[in-house]
Amino acid sequence: MSDSAGGGESGGVAGSVQDPDGDSDAPRQAPALLEVDLLEEEVTSEDGEPSSAKRPRVSEEEPGPEPVGEPVDMHGERPAQTGPLQEDPAPAAQKTGEPDHSEDAVEEEPVRGGVEEEWPQDGHVGCEAPVEEGETKPEDDDCSADSPGAEQRLGLDFTQNPQMLTGSWNEYSNLPENYLKGCKWAPDGSCILTNSADNVLRVYNIPPEVYSYNWDSLPEMSPVLRMAEGDTVYDYCWYPKMSSLDADTCFLASSSRDNPVHVWDAFYGEVRASYRPYNHLDELTAAHSLCFSPDGTQLYCGFDKTVRVFYTERPGRDCEERPTIVKKQGQSGIISCFGFSPCQSVYACGSYSRCAGLYSCQDGTLLALLPTRHHGGLTHLLFSPDGHYLYTGGRKDPEILCWDLREPDKVVFSLKRNVATNQRIYFDLDPSGRYLLSGDTDGMVSVWDTQTAPPDGNEELLQPQLSFQAHWDCTNGISVHPFMPLLATSSGQRQFPSPGESEGDSASEGEGAEAGMSPPKTRQDNALSLWWAGPLGSQEQEGEVVET
């Protein structure tokens, strides 16, 4: 992310309005747009293309971070996707007659049938699908599971082991046991957000070599921002409408022990706003979980048997309280995780009481309480892109359960993973909803194809399509890129010495004694790793693929 754009430091967070009188670079008015039209008609006459294929760019002079303007040069080394490179340098709007929605970047529509796709470096095409003639583009930019070509645009290939590209290791070696606690891609795919045991949130940009497929010279990643919280970070999340082309939308929220909820500017790493929840004793209390509403206008915070809803544009202590227990009935325990349905005005809350509940977004009314089937408290949940299914996972729980929300008491299938600690182990779905990925305590990453689940849904155990050793320590975080075949994983956990272990014993033990000993403890591996999950050009794979 570029630091060239300014972030709002005023009281509001999103939707800040700039004073047109004080902005010397105001957007062009109608006469200027007519000049652009005339200019583009001249270009059209030279190229021989119909005038309807061109559209004026209404935001050419808006201030903001400078995007990369040209498509990526593949240098002939693009792995695995066969077919000739596109030789026509004309933009997608010129080829297909569709409007060009980008500001400065030249983007080409991913062509089906084996032709290689070129990825822009600004991440601006994250959820933009081509608009066919006669169709209107919806106002909401969120990708839908039913959007055509979502999986082809990703290019995910889990028939072989993903290839590790680069990562960050030295950043977490300065302090002992500075293990990571998850990683999350930005909604526009431009950067990665991590949390670690030193209570510092870090933002990483994607190395530019990834776009050019020049992977032999990839350096170790270094954070471009560090945001230090005052105590243990409970939860963190991106603003869902975040775009690196609009500085006002580039922010994230975090909650830490004995601190209010902070909103951080993702350009400068400064606190932009604070939301202060108070309990019945008028004492500041920390939120255990956070999640923005899909439109970004509200921030949901989880507490003990209570959900507090803040309006994003109104920082402070004013909020709406929604108790999860009314007249001794409802969902008990600390609300530990949230999830919003992509197609209905419904959100789900998971709690440490080992159950999940479905609530109305309008007033927080409890719609359904799922049966208690987990062995430990819930730590993460996700809706499927079509909104029909809910995936839930817990701590010290060996299963991820898939619930059919059309029959809320029904478990369709379960996914086996090893979670032996109370640590939050994230899992993620690709945008098409087909593949579910999760790490485990042993450092393995498993990939399940949810389309292979039995249609009758008899709570059968679904076997993973692929498993590979991503880290030597616990793989606690995994995140799928919004539109590129990239994975981000984070690893590490608190290490405890074995009983009776001492330095003197290890010096006096012989080879015979080592043969009868139990396996050595897990090596510390506190790292962020970036993986290529698309087709590979060579047959070389890193690590052993475990097919099941």
Side-chain angles (χ1 to χ4, degrees):
M1 298 174 62
S2 172
D3 291 346
S4 60
E9 292 279 343
S10 58
V13 176
S16 58
V17 179
Q18 299 293 335
D19 187 3
D21 297 333
D23 190 357
S24 60
D25 295 328
R28 292 184 176 183
Q29 303 300 322
L33 292 180
L34 293 177
E35 295 177 3
V36 176
D37 289 336
L38 293 175
L39 178 60
E40 293 197 353
E41 287 179 3
E42 295 176 4
V43 178
T44 301
S45 61
E46 295 177 1
D47 297 340
E49 296 290 335
S51 59
S52 61
K54 295 285 186 177
R55 294 293 186 273
R57 296 175 180 174
V58 299
S59 58
E60 288 182 346
E61 296 187 14
E62 290 181 0
E66 182 178 358
V68 176
E70 296 296 331
V72 184
D73 185 8
M74 299 302 174
H75 305 292
E77 299 181 356
R78 172 125 186 215
Q81 288 188 344
T82 59
L85 290 175
Q86 298 183 14
E87 299 178 356
D88 187 2
Q94 186 175 348
K95 295 181 181 180
T96 63
E98 296 167 359
D100 187 2
H101 296 289
S102 63
E103 296 187 358
D104 292 323
V106 179
E107 301 169 2
E108 297 188 0
E109 176 189 1
V111 181
R112 312 297 178 244
V115 180
E116 293 192 7
E117 304 170 6
E118 298 185 357
W119 304 106
Q121 297 187 22
D122 57 2
H124 188 51
V125 300
C127 288
E128 291 193 1
V131 181
E132 301 294 340
E133 295 184 1
E135 295 181 357
T136 58
K137 185 173 180 179
E139 295 181 359
D140 190 3
D141 293 337
D142 290 339
C143 292
S144 172
D146 298 332
S147 60
E151 183 181 349
Q152 290 87 338
R153 184 167 61 250
L154 273 166
L156 289 172
D157 180 15
F158 291 117
T159 61
Q160 52 191 345
N161 192 22
Q163 177 181 349
M164 183 175 173
L165 302 180
T166 182
S168 179
W169 306 275
N170 294 328
E171 178 70 19
Y172 305 97
S173 61
N174 297 328
L175 297 176
E177 291 193 353
N178 187 21
Y179 54 91
L180 282 86
K181 297 182 178 180
C183 58
K184 297 180 181 181
W185 283 105
D188 70 343
S190 60
C191 53
I192 312 170
L193 173 65
T194 66
N195 177 30
S196 54
D198 59 357
N199 308 325
V200 176
L201 299 170
R202 293 172 173 87
V203 175
Y204 294 83
N205 285 339
I206 301 180
E209 292 84 0
V210 172
Y211 299 104
S212 62
Y213 297 91
N214 188 16
W215 296 342
D216 294 336
S217 60
L218 275 174
E220 180 178 349
M221 299 170 63
S222 296
V224 294
L225 280 182
R226 296 179 181 89
M227 297 160 284
E229 275 284 10
D231 211 324
T232 302
V233 177
Y234 287 148
D235 202 2
Y236 57 101
C237 60
W238 283 102
Y239 179 65
K241 299 297 184 180
M242 178 267 184
S243 172
S244 58
L245 301 179
D246 185 359
D248 288 339
T249 65
C250 292
F251 60 89
L252 56 102
S254 67
S255 175
S256 60
R257 183 167 53 192
D258 299 330
N259 283 284
V261 177
H262 289 147
V263 170
W264 299 88
D265 191 300
F267 269 80
Y268 301 105
E270 300 173 351
V271 175
R272 186 184 290 190
S274 296
Y275 301 90
R276 302 187 300 275
Y278 289 86
N279 58 16
H280 62 287
L281 299 176
D282 204 30
E283 298 173 341
L284 183 68
T285 180
H288 292 271
S289 55
L290 297 174
C291 189
F292 283 99
S293 59
D295 59 3
T297 59
Q298 293 175 313
L299 178 61
Y300 285 66
C301 305
F303 301 86
D304 185 13
K305 295 176 286 188
T306 303
V307 174
R308 290 182 172 90
V309 182
F310 292 89
Y311 284 92
T312 309
E313 61 183 8
R314 193 166 62 204
R317 62 178 298 170
D318 293 337
C319 64
E320 176 187 353
E321 291 197 13
R322 299 180 178 181
T324 58
I325 287 188
V326 178
K327 296 181 179 180
K328 299 183 179 181
Q329 292 185 353
Q331 185 177 8
S332 62
I334 294 174
I335 304 301
S336 56
C337 50
F338 288 100
F340 281 85
S341 173
C343 58
Q344 294 182 359
S345 183
V346 173
Y347 65 94
C349 294
S351 71
Y352 287 139
S353 62
R354 302 182 294 134
C355 67
L358 302 176
Y359 299 85
S360 169
C361 291
Q362 281 72 21
D363 54 5
T365 303
L366 178 63
L367 304 177
L369 192 62
L370 304 184
T372 303
R373 297 287 304 273
H374 282 279
H375 302 284
L378 269 63
T379 55
H380 193 48
L381 53 81
L382 281 177
F383 279 91
S384 62
D386 58 10
H388 294 162
Y389 301 97
L390 179 68
Y391 297 90
T392 58
R395 57 185 184 183
K396 283 192 175 180
D397 193 313
E399 290 180 323
I400 298 173
L401 300 181
C402 177
W403 304 83
D404 189 344
L405 299 182
R406 294 162 292 188
E407 301 178 51
D409 60 341
K410 181 179 181 181
V411 175
V412 183
F413 57 84
S414 63
L415 312 174
K416 184 79 171 180
R417 64 172 183 171
N418 178 29
V419 180
T421 66
N422 286 323
Q423 191 175 16
R424 188 192 301 263
I425 306 294
Y426 290 93
F427 55 88
D428 198 10
L429 284 166
D430 75 300
S432 69
R434 176 178 180 179
Y435 295 108
L436 187 144
L437 299 87
S438 175
D440 65 11
T441 305
D442 298 328
M444 301 289 293
V445 169
S446 299
V447 182
W448 291 271
D449 187 350
T450 60
Q451 293 184 358
T452 62
D456 51 1
N458 291 329
E459 304 183 18
E460 296 185 11
L461 182 64
L462 187 63
Q463 298 298 329
Q465 174 180 327
L466 173 70
S467 295
F468 64 96
Q469 190 78 41
H471 298 275
W472 295 111
D473 207 343
C474 172
T475 302
N476 51 57
I478 188 164
S479 185
V480 183
H481 195 276
F483 55 90
M484 288 183 66
L486 291 174
L487 307 177
T489 60
S490 60
S491 64
Q493 62 181 335
R494 182 174 289 108
Q495 301 286 350
F496 298 96
S498 303
E501 182 180 345
S502 63
E503 297 180 359
D505 295 339
S506 59
S508 60
E509 289 175 350
E511 295 181 358
E514 292 181 358
M517 290 176 58
S518 59
K521 69 173 184 177
T522 306
R523 284 189 286 173
Q524 288 193 14
D525 184 6
N526 305 327
L528 170 71
S529 297
L530 195 63
W531 304 80
W532 175 262
L536 295 175
S538 63
Q539 299 300 322
E540 297 179 359
Q541 300 180 12
E542 298 185 8
E544 181 181 0
V545 180
V546 182
E547 296 286 355
T548 55

